[in-house]
Amino acid sequence: MNYDATYRASVDDPNGFWLDAARALDWANFPTTALEHEDAAWFAGGTLNICHNAIDRHVDAGRGDDPALIFESPVTGNQETYSFADLQSEVAQTAGMLAALGTAQSDRVIIYMPMIPQAVFAMLACARIGAVHSVVFGGFSAAELAKRIDDCDPTLILTASCGIEGARVIPYKPIVDDAITLACGERPTVALWQRPQLTADLSDDRDVDWNEAVAKAEAVPCVDVAADHPLYILYTSGTTGKPKGVVRETGGYAVALAWSMSNIYGVQPGETYWAASDIGWVVGHSYIVYGPLLNGNATVLFEGKPVGTPNAGIFWEIVSRHNVSVLFTAPTAIRAIRAADPDGELLTKANPQSLRALFLAGERADPDTVEWVGAQLDRPVIDHWWQTELGWPALATCIGLGSEPAATGAAGYPVPGFAFDVVDDDGVSVASQATGNLVIAKPLPPGSFRTLWLNQIGFDGYFESFDGRYATGDAGVMGADGSYCVMGRTDDIINVAGHRISTGQIEEVVAGCQSVVECAVIGGRDELKGEVPVAFFVAASDGSDQPEAEIIQAVRTQISPIATPRDVVALNALPKTRSGKILRNLLRAIVNGDTITIPQTIEDPIVVEHAQTKFANRGDL
């Protein structure tokens, strides 16, 4: 079926549609129905094991020698490829270690690891025995790790002796030790993988040498679990300072990801797929680990950065070396590559002929960046949108269903299973091309969350504002062709003297200026107008002598004089997390004189001091 027919089938008969999709997997007990009612678990009564479907199923089908996991670590010089048979052996042995350490079905296991193969083995090993993993991004501090320990009460923490950030070796053991000291509950066992770059000291009464323990362990088989059994808990930021633990159920997640690989991304079993993200985020869970392996693809695990490890050609070199068919990364990675290689010389040298499409997500993809990389690659560049809570793409161009890419600037069309609307603050649908609140009607499709860990009140809050519909927290616009533009968080819609203006729209215009490499526009408080736009930007080396004037003129002519930024501030770099997200809340605090809280995941704290100084010393426009 084409996209239109597939989408219609998914909303007209979700039960039949998803039950048919479930047949792509192996089930110990196949469910008799996909969904009993809109708040029920998907595939109730079904039992399966997601590790079996991601690994053992392919080995049983005769594909044991095919590549499954490709490890590329330019920061250490390591390159390793694991076949499905290799992966089965490593994961079964790691699961045996977990069992020997007393981990049982439904126990929680925190994984605080760098981007190394053992982290993937650990996730799949938990799934193999029905334990619930909770991966915590390796950049988090002891205090943030302690919050997650307190919330999910793990019996075991899996970690490594160190992570590597560029040329820096970051010891992990002291962070884990401090987190356990700060946490309130019983002390969990710690199993630590010793990396050659750093050997960590282990305590006799609590710590286990992972390298030794896994060598002694006996491989264990997969354990079937109910479809609604929790696969993992993934924490996302909360408004009260307490992280929200998104619970992902096994059956619906497996079905959704398996369906998405061929229908959204257009990749077939045996091809290589690369999501250049981190396993600490939802993209890493869904499209480094589970999605590609469920579909029988080789997946790339990358320990490095898009620039500087060693240069801005590393992405294209890896694509070429491993014949990657589809690459998924964040717009900020492409902007960094563009800044370092504006003419695409390194891309041309790598010659990534195997690449069919580049997908972008994680933040809004500004048209200028999309157009630049599209021209360099001469391939489709496709923005798409989703959230940790949803687990997989909700807006996209489904190239596997024959869809043509949506217009540049749009996040795409509703993925089959997702019923979107754009509404005003009273929940009434707005006209096409008008900005409003982006909401999704129930039932949310398989793979979406159905609760937060030990926080049902927090979960219910997602559905209270708009008559039981899921509030994404994002502002959106539906185009005449049925595509959607996601304009940023609803708190990025600012009110300038009574005019509602999207800072995302202003960013799009600023990013299109010749003098701008990347930018962020936030709303600043103003005594007269209430709020005003403030633009921060990184200047291009080949831009004009007066980039601020160019930006002002572009906004005035392409949007409105009302949208003109009060301040335009040039920076050497924008403050970002290590995953590449621009810290707009931090910039907003600088502009408004609020308390500045620097997150543990910041890439470079010095950038914040520079931004404060530059804003304080800004001149009049």
Side-chain angles (χ1 to χ4, degrees):
M1 291 190 292
N2 62 20
Y3 165 77
D4 291 334
T6 303
Y7 182 79
R8 181 47 51 199
S10 75
V11 295
D12 287 347
D13 181 19
N15 191 68
F17 181 88
W18 290 112
L19 201 61
D20 186 59
R23 301 184 194 281
L25 301 177
D26 284 354
W27 295 77
N29 292 294
F30 191 79
T32 57
T33 186
L35 186 69
E36 294 180 351
H37 58 83
E38 66 178 21
D39 292 317
W42 284 94
F43 310 111
T47 59
L48 77 169
N49 184 279
I50 196 170
C51 180
H52 165 83
N53 277 282
I55 304 173
D56 301 62
R57 177 168 61 103
H58 306 306
V59 176
D60 294 345
R63 296 191 56 215
D65 293 336
D66 289 358
L69 178 66
I70 298 166
F71 178 50
E72 282 274 357
S73 175
V75 296
T76 64
N78 285 354
Q79 296 178 12
E80 302 174 56
T81 297
Y82 297 83
S83 68
F84 279 102
D86 294 333
L87 193 57
Q88 182 185 47
S89 176
E90 294 281 0
V91 170
Q93 198 87 359
T94 304
M97 178 189 73
L98 300 185
L101 293 174
T103 305
Q105 184 172 320
S106 299
D107 285 347
R108 275 78 62 205
V109 176
I110 281 183
I111 299 172
Y112 186 77
M113 298 282 290
M115 291 283 286
I116 59 177
Q118 287 70 28
V120 176
F121 302 161
M123 294 171 69
L124 290 163
C126 290
R128 194 172 187 85
I129 62 173
V132 183
H133 64 70
S134 183
V135 181
V136 179
F137 176 63
F140 276 133
S141 69
E144 290 298 319
L145 180 56
K147 291 178 184 177
R148 288 150 176 81
I149 293 172
D150 282 337
D151 196 62
C152 75
D153 189 24
T155 59
L156 178 65
I157 296 177
L158 300 174
T159 189
S161 56
C162 65
I164 300 173
E165 287 285 334
R168 293 183 301 143
V169 175
I170 311 297
Y172 276 19
K173 184 61 162 44
I175 298 173
V176 173
D177 288 344
D178 290 349
I180 292 174
T181 299
L182 290 169
C184 300
E186 295 184 11
R187 297 195 314 164
T189 300
V190 175
L192 182 141
W193 180 263
Q194 299 281 15
R195 301 190 72 181
Q197 292 79 18
L198 178 70
T199 300
D201 294 329
L202 304 182
S203 63
D204 294 334
D205 62 333
R206 184 199 68 197
D207 299 339
V208 174
D209 187 307
W210 181 338
N211 310 59
E212 295 178 359
V214 76
K216 299 175 183 177
E218 295 184 4
V220 298
C222 295
V223 175
D224 292 320
V225 298
D228 64 351
H229 181 77
L231 173 64
Y232 66 75
I233 303 166
L234 182 57
Y235 288 92
T236 186
S237 58
T239 56
T240 63
K242 179 182 177 181
K244 300 178 292 186
V246 170
V247 178
R248 195 79 62 209
E249 295 175 345
T250 302
Y253 189 56
V255 172
L257 293 187
W259 184 92
S260 72
M261 291 302 298
S262 60
N263 289 285
I264 296 176
Y265 298 107
V267 290
Q268 301 304 315
E271 293 188 306
T272 302
Y273 177 94
W274 179 19
S277 182
D278 190 286
I279 59 165
W281 312 124
V282 68
V283 172
H285 283 59
S286 296
Y287 294 110
I288 294 177
V289 181
Y290 290 109
L293 295 176
L294 285 166
N295 197 49
N297 299 115
T299 183
V300 178
L301 181 73
F302 176 67
E303 186 183 33
K305 293 183 178 297
V307 297
T309 59
N311 57 46
I314 187 63
F315 272 25
W316 318 124
E317 291 172 15
I318 291 174
V319 167
S320 183
R321 183 156 54 241
H322 299 292
N323 292 313
V324 173
S325 297
V326 173
L327 172 63
F328 174 172
T329 191
T332 192
I334 302 302
R335 287 193 288 267
I337 291 169
R338 180 186 182 183
D341 185 26
D343 297 323
E345 293 177 1
L346 294 172
L347 188 155
T348 301
K349 180 180 178 182
N351 192 23
Q353 290 186 344
S354 63
L355 193 67
R356 291 200 301 272
L358 170 65
F359 279 79
L360 302 174
E363 58 178 314
R364 192 161 185 267
D366 59 281
D368 192 49
T369 297
V370 172
E371 290 166 1
W372 177 84
V373 72
Q376 297 293 332
L377 287 171
D378 192 24
R379 305 284 195 283
V381 178
I382 299 168
D383 191 13
H384 63 328
W385 174 93
W386 43 306
Q387 298 176 320
T388 300
E389 291 86 347
L390 301 177
W392 62 295
L395 292 170
T397 295
C398 296
I399 61 175
L401 295 174
S403 293
E404 292 296 321
T408 302
Y413 304 93
V415 169
F418 290 94
F420 278 87
D421 196 5
V422 179
V423 301
D424 63 19
D425 291 343
D426 294 322
V428 178
S429 298
V430 301
S432 174
Q433 321 242 10
T435 301
N437 303 284
L438 195 64
V439 299
I440 308 172
K442 289 183 178 180
L444 296 181
S448 304
F449 75 150
R450 286 200 318 117
T451 191
L452 298 174
W453 183 255
L454 303 180
N455 186 4
Q456 188 61 33
I457 293 175
F459 173 78
D460 292 340
Y462 285 90
F463 300 89
E464 290 175 348
S465 298
F466 300 107
D467 299 323
R469 290 170 289 186
Y470 172 75
T472 67
D474 279 330
V477 177
M478 187 183 77
D481 63 350
S483 66
Y484 286 80
C485 291
V486 180
M487 308 306 294
R489 303 300 290 172
T490 49
D491 57 9
D492 288 340
I493 299 296
I494 60 175
N495 194 311
V496 182
H499 299 271
R500 284 171 57 87
I501 295 173
S502 165
T503 53
Q505 185 181 8
I506 302 173
E507 275 190 19
E508 183 176 315
V509 172
V510 176
C513 293
Q514 181 182 352
S515 300
V516 175
V517 172
E518 60 180 344
C519 65
V521 177
I522 57 91
R525 288 193 290 267
D526 186 85
E527 291 185 5
L528 179 61
K529 298 181 179 179
E531 292 177 290
V532 290
V534 176
F536 293 86
F537 74 101
V538 176
S541 58
D542 57 350
S544 71
D545 294 334
Q546 295 181 310
E548 292 85 356
E550 180 189 355
I551 289 168
I552 292 295
Q553 183 62 22
V555 174
R556 290 179 66 88
T557 57
Q558 296 181 46
I559 302 178
S560 167
I562 288 290
T564 302
R566 180 191 66 191
D567 303 300
V568 178
V569 184
L571 302 177
N572 294 335
L574 296 175
K576 299 177 184 176
T577 66
R578 290 174 186 165
S579 65
K581 289 193 175 182
I582 298 171
L583 294 166
R584 291 174 176 81
N585 285 342
L586 194 151
L587 291 173
R588 188 179 296 111
I590 291 173
V591 168
N592 291 331
D594 296 336
T595 300
I596 295 171
T597 302
I598 299 178
Q600 297 296 328
T601 53
I602 193 165
E603 185 175 47
D604 184 0
I606 298 300
V607 172
V608 180
E609 297 179 19
H610 175 70
Q612 289 177 284
T613 301
K614 293 288 286 186
F615 182 76
N617 297 327
R618 70 196 185 280
D620 294 331
L621 295 175

